Amino acid sequence: MSIHSVKRSQCHLAWDNSIPPVLHVSSGDTISFDCLDASNGQITPSSTPSTLATLTISSLDQVNGPVHVASARPGDTLRVDVLDVQVAEWGWSALIPGFGLLADEYPAPALKIWSLLHSGEEGEEGYAWFDEERGIRIPLRPFAGEMGVAPGKEGAHSTIPPYATGGNVDTKHLTKGSTLYLPVEVEGALFSIGDGHAAQGDGEVCGTAIETPMKVTVRLTVIKDKPYVKTPHFTSRNAHPSGEEFYTTTGVDSDIREAARAAVRHMIEFLGAEYGLTKPDAYILCSVAGDLRMHEVVDMPNYVIGFMLPKSIFTKAKA
């Protein structure tokens, strides 16, 4: 299995299945991506709030790729193993006019430049001071906000919202060691990634995380036997303070209730396919053991709602 690389300059600003791939790989290959921050380099460590007034919005949220994966066909699933995520020594967060859950209440621009401190200890990601004098410290849990494959629908689709095929899912649990599953809609899948985050809360309520350039390494594998993956699914050990592993299904919709309903519906399908549960039994299990989470609520017009089920409830191996 080969190791490949994608440069910062190999990026695009729309999900579009007509964009030629920058790389062709085989299933099971590993790719390292060198990505600029979500501002596409428009914000730097020396930027001030006045910089936000000059942002070219159409250049935000670029993604690196696309990568064509041999043997991937519509109806397949692309497994994305996140092997490593390295962030820069700085990052930024902002209130960008028109963005965020409370955009109407916070119309003025604001910008915070962060110094990202790496601990140097094995297993420790480091931290950033929000306010050192007040003792407010943020642990770094880096991940890529954008991971997706090209949609089957023709034309250019903005990278700002999330879709059933992934994209700007902004889900904080997709850190190193997690595995993302994406539904393939076009030949080769055409995978892209970007939008480095050093830390973020569920929902990303103000519209930005700690945005940062990143180097991220993933392994891409084509799976033929998971037809129930119709939106992003993932496994992660970082979804809970206990470190317990969860399997998560998502719903992606412009109606937040419909997104939640879809997330539960997709978990019921997963439990039927993988554990042989009837739909009524799976539905009851979801209610007593699972958690609904708002993963992304600001990148309009779509929301991402996750349904997280702890894998520890399954005490026997699948038949």
Side-chain angles (χ1 to χ4, degrees):
M1 296 179 183
S2 301
I3 299 176
H4 309 269
S5 62
V6 174
K7 301 175 182 178
R8 285 187 175 186
S9 58
Q10 295 174 304
C11 62
H12 54 100
L13 286 162
W15 298 101
D16 186 337
N17 60 37
S18 69
I19 297 175
V22 301
L23 189 64
H24 287 75
V25 304
S26 298
S27 177
D29 282 358
T30 296
I31 306 98
S32 292
F33 297 81
D34 186 4
C35 307
L36 276 172
D37 67 287
S39 79
N40 213 347
Q42 296 180 84
I43 295 176
T44 70
S46 60
S47 293
T48 65
S50 63
T51 305
L52 301 177
T54 64
L55 282 181
T56 302
I57 300 299
S58 60
S59 294
L60 301 181
D61 280 346
Q62 79 291 347
V63 288
N64 290 65
V67 174
H68 181 283
V69 186
S71 78
R73 301 289 183 271
D76 293 344
T77 300
L78 186 67
R79 172 175 171 152
V80 184
D81 292 300
V82 182
L83 304 180
D84 193 36
V85 186
Q86 298 292 330
V87 298
E89 295 183 348
W90 71 281
W92 61 271
S93 302
L95 302 183
I96 300 174
F99 284 81
L101 196 62
L102 304 179
D104 56 327
E105 298 178 23
Y106 293 85
L111 178 67
K112 180 175 182 63
I113 301 295
W114 302 79
S115 177
L116 307 183
L117 305 174
H118 302 275
S119 68
E121 298 179 14
E122 186 175 355
E124 295 293 331
E125 297 288 358
Y127 62 92
W129 284 110
F130 178 81
D131 189 319
E132 189 169 3
E133 183 178 344
R134 292 181 172 86
I136 304 174
R137 193 172 82 167
I138 307 300
L140 303 186
R141 297 192 176 98
F143 69 97
E146 294 255 12
M147 287 194 277
V149 294
K153 187 177 180 181
E154 300 294 329
H157 306 274
S158 171
T159 55
I160 290 179
Y163 304 97
T165 49
N168 201 17
V169 292
D170 279 339
T171 298
K172 73 173 188 178
H173 310 292
L174 296 176
T175 53
K176 177 181 176 179
S178 65
T179 297
L180 174 66
Y181 299 92
L182 297 169
V184 175
E185 293 189 356
V186 299
E187 183 177 347
L190 300 180
F191 174 81
S192 299
I193 191 170
D195 190 21
H197 292 170
Q200 182 202 294
D202 266 326
E204 196 188 32
V205 295
C206 85
T208 62
I210 300 182
E211 310 289 339
T212 180
M214 70 173 180
K215 294 182 179 179
V216 57
T217 303
V218 301
R219 181 172 56 243
L220 302 179
T221 307
V222 178
I223 299 176
K224 301 288 186 179
D225 62 349
K226 295 187 181 295
Y228 55 80
V229 176
K230 299 168 184 173
T231 58
H233 291 201
F234 64 88
T235 60
S236 176
R237 292 188 181 277
N238 302 291
H240 191 273
S242 68
E244 183 172 23
E245 187 174 13
F246 283 70
Y247 188 89
T248 303
T249 56
T250 66
V252 182
D253 200 279
S254 58
D255 183 304
I256 199 166
R257 184 170 185 270
E258 288 306 311
R261 283 162 53 88
V264 176
R265 193 179 298 119
H266 294 154
M267 182 60 77
I268 290 169
E269 292 183 44
F270 164 77
L271 291 169
E274 295 290 334
Y275 294 94
L277 296 186
T278 65
K279 287 187 175 182
D281 279 351
Y283 189 21
I284 291 171
L285 180 61
C286 287
S287 192
V288 301
D291 295 311
L292 272 173
R293 297 281 188 91
M294 292 183 177
H295 292 319
E296 187 284 305
V297 299
V298 295
D299 295 317
M300 296 297 98
N302 293 333
Y303 301 90
V304 178
I305 304 297
F307 190 87
M308 311 185 76
L309 195 68
K311 296 183 77 172
S312 63
I313 67 174
F314 302 103
T315 62
K316 293 184 179 180
K318 291 182 288 184

